[in-house]
Amino acid sequence: MAHRARPMTPPRPARARVPPSREDRWLGRVFFGPRRLMYVGPLAPTDPHAHPTFQVLLSLDAPVRLRDARQQEVECQAAVVPPDAEHAIVEGALAAVLLHVPAEDLVGRRLATLGIGADAASWGEAGERLRACGIGRLPMRWAEAEAQTQVLLRELQADAGVAKPTHPAVKKLLRLLPEALEEDVRLATLAPRVGLSVGRLSHLFSAQVGFPLRPYILWLRLHRAAEHLQQGASLTEAAHAAGFTDSAHLNHAFRRTFGLKPSEIAGVVEWVRPPSP
């Protein structure tokens, strides 16, 4: 029978190893490409934040302590945080895998059928099936990261059921948006382009993708900004390229989504891109 992660109550025993503090840097690797965002390395504490993806976490080191919006905490070796769930890393680990899974694709829609709650205990319980996945070291190369991604996702989809099909208009919008970030991406402008009313598109998008259109567009803009930062752009240049007003606007959005400032990652982590076709 699987061990259930339990909300933690003080006092707690001291750890054999000291996890990274907020002053420590995220000195790992980011595997970054189309529909792939995976960080491996040390996890340091973050501010409270929420992102429009499933976040799959597996520590190969000490357990990680997470806190939810109600200030409840859980200590766990693995976790799955659902989209739009406010959370913070209270205590990190020296070696961990952090995988973002788009909620709108097939895998994300299957994960949605697991019914993971917005509380920290649910995240730890959802991650329990990852404890025996057999991953024993952090990936160094793109192929290794892809292989580990498939291992993690197979474990999580073991009894996930069948995902609901996506409405053709939503599928069309998901294809359209990444290339339309420099255009008018208000709902009133996008709805006629996919042949639906504003109200119908808003309802369908939220129901089938799992969160509203506006935070999804923000996620795409952050993804675009990260691409430019990875290529050596300044914070201001990356902000403008992704449609943000200025670097302060990008900084605020980044912290709200990841719990970190862009400077805590940009220029610090090692970026790993997919091999050329």
Side-chain angles (χ1 to χ4, degrees):
M1 182 174 179
H3 169 74
R4 295 169 64 87
R6 296 169 296 184
M8 301 299 296
T9 54
R12 61 181 185 269
R15 296 181 174 188
R17 287 173 288 181
V18 178
S21 70
R22 188 57 193 260
E23 289 69 35
D24 290 317
R25 308 297 291 274
W26 292 63
L27 298 172
R29 299 181 186 87
V30 173
F31 294 88
F32 183 77
R35 309 189 69 77
R36 173 65 67 243
L37 179 58
M38 181 184 198
Y39 170 84
V40 301
L43 295 185
T46 68
D47 294 331
H49 61 285
H51 33 66
T53 58
F54 284 92
Q55 180 177 270
V56 179
L57 186 157
L58 175 66
S59 174
L60 308 185
D61 184 63
V64 174
R65 182 177 293 268
L66 302 175
R67 178 183 296 149
D68 62 28
R70 299 179 63 182
Q71 303 303 303
Q72 299 297 311
E73 295 185 3
V74 66
E75 189 173 79
C76 52
Q77 205 71 32
V80 182
V81 182
D84 207 30
E86 181 180 297
H87 61 287
I89 298 176
V90 180
E91 291 184 7
L94 297 175
V97 175
L98 200 61
L99 173 67
H100 285 274
V101 178
E104 77 279 6
D105 67 10
L106 179 60
V107 175
R109 288 184 283 126
R110 284 181 173 171
L111 290 179
T113 69
L114 296 177
I116 304 170
D119 59 290
S122 292
W123 309 337
E125 290 175 14
E128 280 299 310
R129 65 184 68 194
L130 299 176
R131 289 168 60 93
C133 68
I135 293 177
R137 64 186 183 89
L138 300 178
M140 299 285 290
R141 299 176 178 84
W142 185 268
E144 295 172 330
E146 286 295 285
Q148 289 193 8
T149 295
Q150 296 311 312
V151 168
L152 294 172
L153 296 182
R154 274 198 304 270
E155 292 292 334
L156 291 174
Q157 292 183 64
D159 56 357
V162 179
K164 296 179 181 179
T166 302
H167 191 281
V170 176
K171 293 175 68 174
K172 181 178 180 180
L173 184 57
L174 291 172
R175 291 193 302 267
L176 169 72
L177 282 174
E179 304 304 322
L181 294 180
E182 297 177 0
E183 306 171 17
D184 185 348
V185 290
R186 290 176 299 174
L187 191 58
T189 303
L190 294 170
R193 298 183 66 175
V194 297
L196 293 178
S197 68
V198 169
R200 179 64 172 155
L201 178 58
S202 177
H203 170 75
L204 274 176
F205 194 92
S206 295
Q208 297 200 350
V209 177
F211 48 89
L213 178 62
R214 186 173 179 180
Y216 179 73
I217 291 174
L218 174 61
W219 175 258
L220 292 180
R221 293 193 188 281
L222 290 169
H223 201 274
R224 175 76 59 83
E227 285 183 322
H228 285 270
L229 289 171
Q230 186 267 336
Q231 294 166 5
S234 68
L235 194 59
T236 299
E237 291 169 339
H240 291 160
F244 292 99
T245 306
D246 51 29
S247 59
H249 186 194
L250 172 58
N251 187 66
H252 174 74
F254 204 94
R255 292 188 69 171
R256 190 174 59 186
T257 306
F258 295 109
L260 303 166
K261 293 182 286 188
S263 59
E264 293 183 74
I265 291 183
V268 179
V269 299
E270 176 188 348
W271 296 83
V272 183
R273 300 282 292 182
S276 300

